[in-house]
Amino acid sequence: MSRIAVINPNLSTGFTKKVGDQAKRIVADGTAVLALNPQFGPDSIEGYYDEAFASVGLLSVIRDLEAAPGQLADPVGGYVVACFDDTGVDAARCLTAAPVMGLCEAALRMAAVVASRFAIVTPMPVSVRPLEHLVSKYGASSQCVVRAAGVRTLDFEGENAAMAYGALKKQAEICLANDHAEAIVLGCAGMTDIAQRLQVELGVPVIDGVSAAVKMIEALAMLGIRTSKAGAYAAPLSKAYHGVFAGFAPQG
């Protein structure tokens, strides 16, 4: 049996349950899923400011898992960072040799297989520019546009869920008509449970980053592929960290 950890970097336990349930539905028999979130940080991640604080919480979860007593006998084979901002992914790759995948990167890689042009629909306008930066980083700028539905991330839970779905669908339809998108990428982990419904209603592929990242990490874990430590993702050098970060000091 292999284990993969799906970590929601914010403190929304509803989102954590949602992404964990989706991961458990799609993994192969024999793959165990750990669905976790930090004990400190923002309730949701909506822009650069939230992302900075959520990154530390994410790393704290990975540090704890890597140091757990059972890690040597039954190691975590890979990590999914369940945030479409790919919060803390590069730092996490320095912290563990297990492969780490964020939702945006996974969704873009998968969308490019089934469509020559696609659109990310994210909840809030504040997230558009950060996601455009990620699209550029992953080399998909010529294929992908980023649009906002104009709702809050947490609207996809509770009494506002129907309204949020309607706004998302409307924006996706605009992307298909005006941006000539051939597929839609859902730009938030909290949308994972509506991907199939939206795909049926739109009639084009709808890529959910949670599902994409989980399956990619599961494949990497099963193949025994690890994160290279030969360059940028080498373990951090030993040094002192101070104040509230003292417990995060790298040991080298």
Side-chain angles (χ1 to χ4, degrees), residues 51-74:
E51 185 178 354
F53 287 96
S55 295
V56 183
L58 166 77
L59 296 176
S60 73
V61 176
I62 295 176
R63 281 173 58 91
D64 289 346
L65 288 172
E66 292 286 306
Q71 177 70 355
L72 287 177
D74 184 20

Side-chain angles (χ1 to χ4, degrees), residues 181-204:
E182 301 164 5
I184 299 297
V185 174
L186 299 180
C188 175
M191 300 174 178
T192 186
D193 57 335
I194 61 177
Q196 288 300 313
R197 174 187 172 188
L198 190 63
Q199 180 167 272
V200 170
E201 293 180 3
L202 294 179
V204 298

Side-chain angles (χ1 to χ4, degrees), residues 84-151:
F84 207 83
D85 290 343
D86 287 4
T87 299
V89 166
D90 286 324
R93 288 171 175 165
C94 299
L95 191 58
T96 175
V100 180
M101 180 69 77
L103 305 192
C104 183
E105 182 175 11
L108 292 179
R109 307 293 187 206
M110 193 167 284
V113 176
V114 296
S116 66
R117 185 164 177 80
F118 38 92
I120 296 171
V121 182
T122 190
M124 295 184 64
V126 71
S127 298
V128 169
R129 191 62 178 150
L131 292 183
E132 287 177 339
H133 289 161
L134 287 179
V135 169
S136 177
K137 174 182 177 180
Y138 300 137
S141 294
S142 66
Q143 297 173 278
C144 183
V145 296
V146 184
R147 306 294 185 219
V151 294

